[in-house]
Amino acid sequence: MERRKSLLKESFNINITLKERNKYYNNDEVTSIKKLGLNYYESAFFTKKVVDKMMFANIIKITIFILIYIILMIQLENLELLLVITQTLFSAEILFYFIKLCYYKFQLDKICKEFQDIFFIRGISSIMEVLLLDATMDYEFLKSYCKIATSSKIFNKYNRVWSDEWNKLIKKLKKQEEKWQN
């Protein structure tokens, strides 16, 4: 809740929280719905990058579990022990988390494409604000629904590279906007 309030505070320059984020978002857009949309796009962009890395790690983890299970199925003669191993390796929690992570990843891809479409393809239009609000609400709903904490370790490891990528995207956006204005 505080993160969302900080985002609104930074987007509209209105004090609705005492928490300071010190230019957490990397755009110099004037306070507006567009700035809010850019802030959410940036958040979704970084979240997607982290989740992509988390997916890779989870796929490896699930693959190792399956390989261990296959080896144990072949080697073990005690079916009761195999049942205990099955319940441990493939608990509902592990599988449910993986399925939820896959859903989160695919929905993040969709939301990032929505933002990309709004900013790079549709451009400045009369319905831009409505589309931005729709995309931001989709993103907030997705995070609330999935309740997946992203890895700060992964974020910190790749932050510089992803920040450079984000800054290039912002420069590309500014060039695109200049074309539309001319």
Side-chain angles (χ1 to χ4, degrees), residues 75-177:
Q75 297 295 322
L76 283 177
E77 292 178 18
N78 184 343
L79 292 179
E80 290 175 12
L81 181 59
L82 184 62
L83 180 62
V84 170
I85 292 169
T86 301
Q87 291 171 340
T88 304
L89 284 179
F90 298 105
S91 70
E93 186 177 316
I94 292 171
L95 289 176
F96 183 67
Y97 177 80
F98 181 71
I99 291 166
K100 194 164 61 165
L101 187 64
C102 289
Y103 175 79
Y104 195 44
K105 184 228 181 309
F106 291 118
Q107 292 301 313
L108 278 169
D109 288 344
K110 182 180 161 195
I111 288 169
C112 283
K113 284 178 184 163
E114 270 184 72
F115 280 118
Q116 191 175 24
D117 180 57
I118 294 166
F119 286 113
F120 290 98
I121 298 170
R122 291 179 183 263
I124 302 164
S125 69
S126 59
I127 63 167
M128 180 186 206
E129 290 182 352
V130 174
L131 294 172
L132 284 173
L133 287 174
D134 183 50
T136 59
M137 286 188 273
D138 286 348
Y139 180 55
E140 279 298 329
F141 175 77
L142 177 66
K143 290 188 308 178
S144 176
Y145 177 73
C146 289
K147 294 179 178 84
I148 292 180
T150 54
S151 169
S152 57
K153 182 180 173 183
I154 291 172
F155 174 80
N156 291 328
K157 181 177 179 180
Y158 293 98
N159 184 31
R160 185 171 293 146
V161 173
W162 294 336
S163 290
D164 289 343
E165 192 177 332
W166 174 255
N167 289 331
K168 287 177 187 173
L169 198 62
I170 290 295
K171 285 178 185 174
K172 185 178 176 182
L173 175 61
K174 286 183 182 194
K175 286 180 184 178
Q176 183 68 33
E177 287 176 341

Side-chain angles (χ1 to χ4, degrees), residues 40-53:
Y40 266 104
Y41 184 17
E42 182 177 356
S43 180
F45 173 86
F46 280 90
T47 301
K48 179 188 173 312
K49 295 289 190 179
V50 173
V51 168
D52 286 348
K53 296 286 184 189

